[in-house]
Amino acid sequence: MSPPRDLPPAYRFAVLQGYIARFNTRIKRIDKLLSTTQNLDLTLGTLSYTLSLLHSLLPYSSITTTRYKPNSTPLLSRLSSSLPPLSNLLSETRTILRLFSLLSLYTSALSTFRTDHLFLSPSSKPESSPQPQDDRILTHLARLQLISGTIFQVLENLAFLGDKAVVRIPWEKRARMWLWCSRAWGVSVGLELGRLGREWVLRPLFFGEDDEGSDKEDDEGEGGQVSDNLSQKRRRDGPRRKAMMEKWRREVLVNACFAPMTLHYSVEGGLLGEGWLSLLGAVASWLSLREAWRETGRL
């Protein structure tokens, strides 16, 4: 059934106000998304990889189109030639934004290397339940990841500034810097996967006790009262556990996409084609950007 054509002016004005309100809400969320350097980098990376992926698919589209619509080939040709420069410009902008990342790495080092409580004797530690940050393996992984991230950032800054003739570095040395920069990134990704694996081993501390363990305690407990308390605890902690598990799975997928990309950039000549490289980067970027967009709606 189609809506009536002659709508009262008040109704039309209310509908218009609704559209304007939704538009204003979206603009505010976009502004909030782009207000931080991290989210701006995510947005630019998503656009860059998506454009590169589209460019890798355009040759097949042009072949198909040429067979049926010869007049559309010049348009696809112009589009194909304009996408790589735009993608490279976005990627270069991300590199410029990362020039100042050493400051955030320094502030992270101040907290990462302040873990004196890990080296206290058991008798001198305050009595409390174990916390994830008390794990020695996670602490050492965080330290190594900070070191590899610093190496990556220093080498990338020097190589990029050398490419722009800001600092005088021979071309051969800059090429080696880019390779070792990518290898440092690969080490950081490997350490991140190691951290996620360790969190899975310690999932009772991170995500709460699993259902099977709770059921066993329930069977050995005091009957109905324990069962009621347990069900209330599950309802209370369920959304938090679900959100943490979703975050853990997302981080695993993102770093699983980054891993082959680091291998590609770590060897001369690369290993992957433009299509696979763009697809992996687009998937990793979209996963992170989608969560950042959701956060703008929660604030």
Side-chain angles (χ1 to χ4, degrees):
M1 182 178 179
S2 59
R5 296 181 178 180
D6 297 332
L7 297 175
Y11 179 81
R12 293 181 179 179
F13 183 71
V15 172
L16 180 61
Q17 280 187 320
Y19 283 121
I20 294 176
R22 285 194 292 269
F23 176 78
N24 292 338
T25 301
R26 292 296 178 88
I27 294 298
K28 290 180 181 178
R29 292 182 63 180
I30 293 174
D31 178 65
K32 191 179 299 182
L33 177 70
L34 301 180
S35 62
T36 62
T37 305
Q38 181 180 3
N39 289 342
L40 180 59
D41 178 77
L42 279 176
T43 305
L44 295 176
T46 303
L47 293 174
S48 176
Y49 286 120
T50 303
L51 293 174
S52 182
L53 178 62
L54 180 60
H55 174 260
S56 67
L57 298 176
L58 275 180
Y60 301 97
S61 301
S62 62
I63 294 174
T64 305
T65 309
T66 304
R67 187 176 304 174
Y68 299 101
K69 299 178 181 179
N71 295 331
S72 62
T73 303
L75 176 61
L76 289 175
S77 178
R78 290 194 298 269
L79 181 61
S80 179
S81 61
S82 62
L83 289 180
L86 179 57
S87 177
N88 293 335
L89 178 62
L90 295 174
S91 179
E92 189 173 292
T93 304
R94 296 179 64 202
T95 306
I96 295 174
L97 291 174
R98 288 197 298 268
L99 287 174
F100 305 96
S101 296
L102 287 174
L103 298 176
S104 60
L105 288 171
Y106 177 80
T107 56
S108 299
L110 295 178
S111 59
T112 301
F113 286 90
R114 289 187 60 183
T115 53
D116 298 337
H117 63 282
L118 294 175
F119 302 98
L120 298 175
S121 60
S123 59
S124 61
K125 288 184 178 181
E127 293 184 1
S128 60
S129 59
Q131 299 296 323
Q133 60 268 23
D134 296 331
D135 185 68
R136 291 175 179 268
I137 295 179
L138 286 177
T139 300
H140 295 321
L141 286 174
R143 290 175 171 177
L144 292 173
Q145 194 170 11
L146 184 62
I147 294 173
S148 63
T150 303
I151 295 173
F152 161 81
Q153 199 57 62
V154 170
L155 291 176
E156 185 188 56
N157 288 356
L158 290 175
F160 179 75
L161 294 176
D163 289 344
K164 298 302 178 182
V166 178
V167 294
R168 294 184 178 181
I169 302 176
W171 180 86
E172 296 81 4
K173 193 172 183 179
R174 295 201 308 270
R176 290 196 300 269
M177 282 183 174
W178 283 118
L179 285 177
W180 282 103
C181 165
S182 301
R183 291 164 185 170
W185 179 30
V187 171
S188 180
V189 171
L191 292 171
E192 182 69 8
L193 290 173
R195 178 188 69 83
L196 293 169
R198 183 60 178 172
E199 287 185 0
W200 179 255
V201 174
L202 301 176
R203 58 187 180 277
L205 292 177
F206 283 90
F207 312 127
E209 296 187 5
D210 51 13
D211 294 340
E212 294 181 359
S214 301
D215 291 340
K216 291 180 181 178
E217 293 180 0
D218 185 16
D219 295 339
E220 297 174 0
E222 297 179 356
Q225 183 178 0
V226 175
S227 178
D228 293 339
N229 294 335
L230 183 60
S231 61
Q232 293 177 3
K233 183 177 182 299
R234 287 179 180 175
R235 288 194 298 268
R236 183 177 64 253
D237 298 340
R240 180 185 64 85
R241 290 177 57 192
K242 182 179 179 182
M244 294 182 67
M245 283 298 300
E246 289 180 354
K247 179 177 180 293
W248 185 86
R249 293 191 185 99
R250 182 178 65 255
E251 291 178 350
V252 170
L253 289 175
V254 168
N255 286 277
C257 291
F258 281 151
M261 295 176 65
T262 62
L263 293 177
H264 168 81
Y265 289 116
S266 298
V267 298
E268 295 183 2
L271 299 174
L272 303 173
E274 180 188 6
W276 284 109
L277 193 66
S278 304
L279 178 62
L280 291 171
V283 171
S285 300
W286 273 110
L287 288 173
S288 301
L289 184 62
R290 183 181 63 176
E291 181 60 24
W293 177 256
R294 289 176 178 175
E295 289 293 333
T296 60
R298 301 190 186 110
L299 299 178

